[in-house]
Amino acid sequence: MGKMGYLAMKVDLLNDELLESDMRELGVAVRKLAGDALLLGSSLGFGTTFLKFLASIAAIYLLILDRTNWRTNMLTSLLIPYIFLSLPSVVFSVLRGEFGKWIAFIGVVLRLFFPRHFPEWLEMWGSLILLLVVSPAFFAHTIRDGAGGVLICLAIGCYLLQEHIRASGGFRNSFTKTHGVSNTVGIILLLVYPIWRFVLRFI
């Protein structure tokens, strides 16, 4: 009886060790699968490109809001370099090419010769087009596609979020005041893309 109990106990210990070993291997496999899926998603363009589009749309939305009904003392002109750094490559290359040059040319001609017909709200968009067209390759490719551009986007997003929270009178008010929720969500969306890029960098 003692020998049978000992064997049963030994078999139970062996089963527990095998189960723990299998669970550890399963955990390692799941981590590798998640890492590979994130890298695959970013290399296929789904993850990073989608978040770039989302961040650019959020920045454009905040810029439009600022020009219409969100007048604050925040430095919303920082959204222009943010859009420059976060525009997806397809849109960036179209606006940096001949199409963007024509838009910039027409904007400069209107501003120089017909200043009364050039609305104030178009100045920011004109600045963005000029920045896209005339920026040197170092900024347009090296900084924009590297860790420096992501860090600048993160800094701009954090700055705008803390300024918005301060202007609203606190974190709770930024979600309850008029226009507070849409502005807060828009600014938080600015942070998603740079955080995603940093996560991909460290996986």
Side-chain angles (χ1 to χ4, degrees):
M1 188 71 177
K3 192 171 185 178
M4 291 297 279
Y6 173 74
L7 286 176
M9 188 171 74
K10 195 168 184 178
V11 168
D12 286 344
L13 286 175
L14 186 62
N15 285 341
D16 288 344
E17 287 176 9
L18 285 173
L19 189 61
E20 283 180 31
S21 171
D22 289 345
M23 293 305 275
R24 261 185 264 122
E25 288 178 19
L26 184 63
V28 169
V30 166
R31 266 185 256 128
K32 285 178 90 175
L33 177 66
D36 290 344
L38 284 173
L39 290 175
L40 180 65
S42 68
S43 67
L44 290 176
F46 172 72
T48 306
T49 304
F50 173 73
L51 291 176
K52 274 186 167 188
F53 268 112
L54 191 67
S56 298
I57 289 169
I60 291 167
Y61 166 74
L62 290 171
L63 205 54
I64 291 170
L65 257 158
D66 182 55
R67 295 294 162 216
T68 55
N69 61 0
W70 182 39
R71 297 280 180 188
T72 63
N73 293 328
M74 286 188 347
L75 196 56
T76 51
S77 57
L78 286 173
L79 290 169
I80 296 299
Y82 185 94
I83 294 170
F84 171 80
L85 293 168
S86 68
L87 266 179
S89 301
V90 174
V91 180
F92 184 81
S93 60
V94 167
L95 291 176
R96 191 165 165 80
E98 285 297 314
F99 181 71
K101 289 176 184 175
W102 273 103
I103 293 174
F105 175 74
I106 291 168
V108 169
V109 167
L110 282 175
R111 183 72 177 102
L112 284 176
F113 299 113
F114 307 102
R116 280 193 236 146
H117 300 291
F118 193 82
E120 183 185 330
W121 58 270
L122 265 181
E123 287 186 11
M124 287 287 223
W125 299 105
S127 301
L128 174 62
I129 293 294
L130 281 174
L131 186 64
L132 288 167
V133 170
V134 302
S135 61
F138 176 72
F139 287 107
H141 301 294
T142 308
I143 297 291
R144 202 176 97 75
D145 296 333
V150 176
L151 191 61
I152 293 168
C153 285
L154 187 63
I156 290 171
C158 290
Y159 170 77
L160 290 175
L161 182 63
Q162 72 93 21
E163 283 295 310
H164 173 63
I165 289 172
R166 188 180 342 176
S168 299
F171 186 75
R172 176 177 280 165
N173 289 342
S174 67
F175 281 101
T176 56
K177 276 190 170 179
T178 311
H179 309 301
V181 176
S182 59
N183 297 335
T184 306
V185 169
I187 293 172
I188 288 172
L189 286 176
L190 295 181
L191 295 170
V192 174
Y193 161 68
I195 290 171
W196 170 263
R197 285 287 301 271
F198 275 120
V199 166
L200 285 181
R201 190 169 283 273
F202 293 115
I203 284 181

